Amino acid sequence: MLSARSLFMEIHDDDQAFRLFCSIAAKGEDQGGWENGRIAKLVPDQVLAPKVARHGADEDKHGRIFKALLHKRELETVEVPDDTDYTMILERQGIGLAHSRLRRDEMLSEQDVITYLAHSRVTEQRASEQMLLLKKVFGDHPEIGRAVRMISNDEDNHLAFCHEELLRLAAEGHGRTILDTLNETARAEIRTYRDVSLAVMQHMGELLRWPKAKSAALAAGIHGVHAYERLGGWRRMTRLSMPERLNALGGPAPHETFA
């Protein structure tokens, strides 16, 4: 019987599949760290800037964690296939702030900040949900449980930060722009998530030598999730509510190590 637990355990127990999984995750976190680091330098709001920097520091930490998990098994990262690069596929659709924009030493406009926060609100929703699933599967695992719990907590903080900052900007009169940007971002994200999920499952299937029936069942499940999201599930990514964790990224990042 196919289940999230059995699927993730199968990936975890195979060195090459685990290597690809952690490499994809590490690359995404490294990209997020660089993006937030650049945005922190270009944000005119000096109250917001350190929170964005903290966001970037967390993403950098997550990248190091995934690499450390590989190192513990004497594995190195592998080149990530282009069709699994979630961040760059979104960028090619014009979602979020382009890397070419972030490389310019030019302060961000208010619209740029809204674009950044809306992009983060949508993608952090996905990250928070994925890490919650991984925490259910691996939360008590002796090898990777602590890492999964740490990253999950950080992703929840990032999501809370996006809600709070977007609500602040909405109160300043940017509500319509924020909603339009969230809607556009969420619709693009669900397509991208479907395509990347199919690509990841294809690569995993080749490594793990899944039978065609198993691959077809997993693909059908991915298409089913997309159908639900396309019919209205995507709206969960556009709603804003004041989070329980206020000022979640305020202050310096806690000193945490992962060995």
Side-chain angles (χ1 to χ4, degrees):
M1 177 180 176
L2 287 177
S3 67
R5 179 175 295 276
S6 64
L7 177 64
F8 283 122
M9 289 304 300
E10 186 177 2
I11 292 170
H12 171 270
D13 292 344
D14 181 271
D15 278 352
Q16 295 311 308
F18 187 69
R19 185 186 185 199
L20 178 59
F21 180 87
C22 288
S23 296
I24 292 171
K27 183 175 183 182
E29 300 288 1
D30 287 346
Q31 288 174 341
W34 179 84
E35 290 168 4
N36 279 277
R38 286 297 300 161
I39 291 167
K41 294 181 186 303
L42 302 175
V43 168
D45 185 339
Q46 293 307 298
V47 175
L48 180 61
K51 297 179 182 180
V52 179
R54 163 78 182 277
H55 189 176
D58 284 348
E59 304 287 9
D60 286 336
K61 177 183 70 178
H62 299 168
R64 292 193 300 272
I65 288 173
F66 283 113
K67 291 168 190 172
L69 291 174
L70 289 176
H71 182 70
K72 287 174 69 174
R73 285 170 62 162
E74 300 183 347
L75 299 170
E76 299 292 334
T77 57
V78 67
E79 184 175 353
V80 172
D82 288 342
D83 56 0
T84 68
D85 195 333
Y86 170 85
T87 302
M88 295 311 297
I89 293 172
L90 279 173
E91 180 181 334
R92 286 196 289 271
Q93 298 176 71
I95 300 301
L97 296 175
H99 285 190
S100 58
R101 170 67 183 88
L102 296 179
R103 291 190 182 98
R104 300 202 306 266
D105 291 324
E106 177 184 329
M107 299 304 283
L108 299 178
S109 67
E110 204 159 51
Q111 176 60 60
D112 290 332
V113 172
I114 290 172
T115 297
Y116 155 67
L117 288 169
H119 173 268
S120 294
R121 188 265 177 267
V122 170
T123 56
E124 292 296 344
Q125 177 81 39
R126 184 72 72 184
S128 178
E129 291 170 354
Q130 288 182 315
M131 290 311 304
L132 180 60
L133 176 59
L134 285 176
K135 189 164 69 170
K136 289 179 179 177
V137 175
F138 292 115
D140 297 325
H141 193 280
E143 178 190 349
I144 66 174
R146 179 168 173 261
V148 168
R149 294 192 304 271
M150 185 186 299
I151 295 172
S152 180
N153 182 69
D154 288 345
E155 301 296 5
D156 290 345
N157 282 338
H158 301 166
L159 185 57
F161 157 72
C162 295
H163 275 270
E164 188 173 5
E165 294 301 324
L166 284 169
L167 284 170
R168 177 179 62 81
L169 289 170
E172 293 176 2
H174 302 286
R176 183 72 256 172
T177 300
I178 290 170
L179 182 58
D180 289 345
T181 308
L182 284 170
N183 288 345
E184 178 187 9
T185 303
R187 289 191 181 104
E189 194 280 341
I190 65 169
R191 294 192 304 269
T192 300
Y193 180 71
R194 174 201 60 193
D195 295 344
V196 168
S197 296
L198 289 170
V200 170
M201 287 301 103
Q202 179 182 343
H203 289 291
M204 291 297 176
E206 292 169 357
L207 290 172
L208 296 167
R209 298 181 181 179
W210 285 338
K212 290 184 178 179
K214 182 172 183 175
S215 295
L218 289 169
I222 292 167
H223 283 295
V225 169
H226 178 255
Y228 155 74
E229 293 190 328
R230 184 171 53 83
L231 291 172
W234 63 275
R235 294 188 182 278
R236 77 188 188 285
M237 297 179 165
T238 66
R239 299 188 186 101
L240 296 175
S241 59
M242 191 58 68
E244 293 182 7
R245 302 183 185 189
L246 296 176
N247 197 30
L249 298 185
H255 181 68
E256 295 175 301
T257 59
F258 179 81

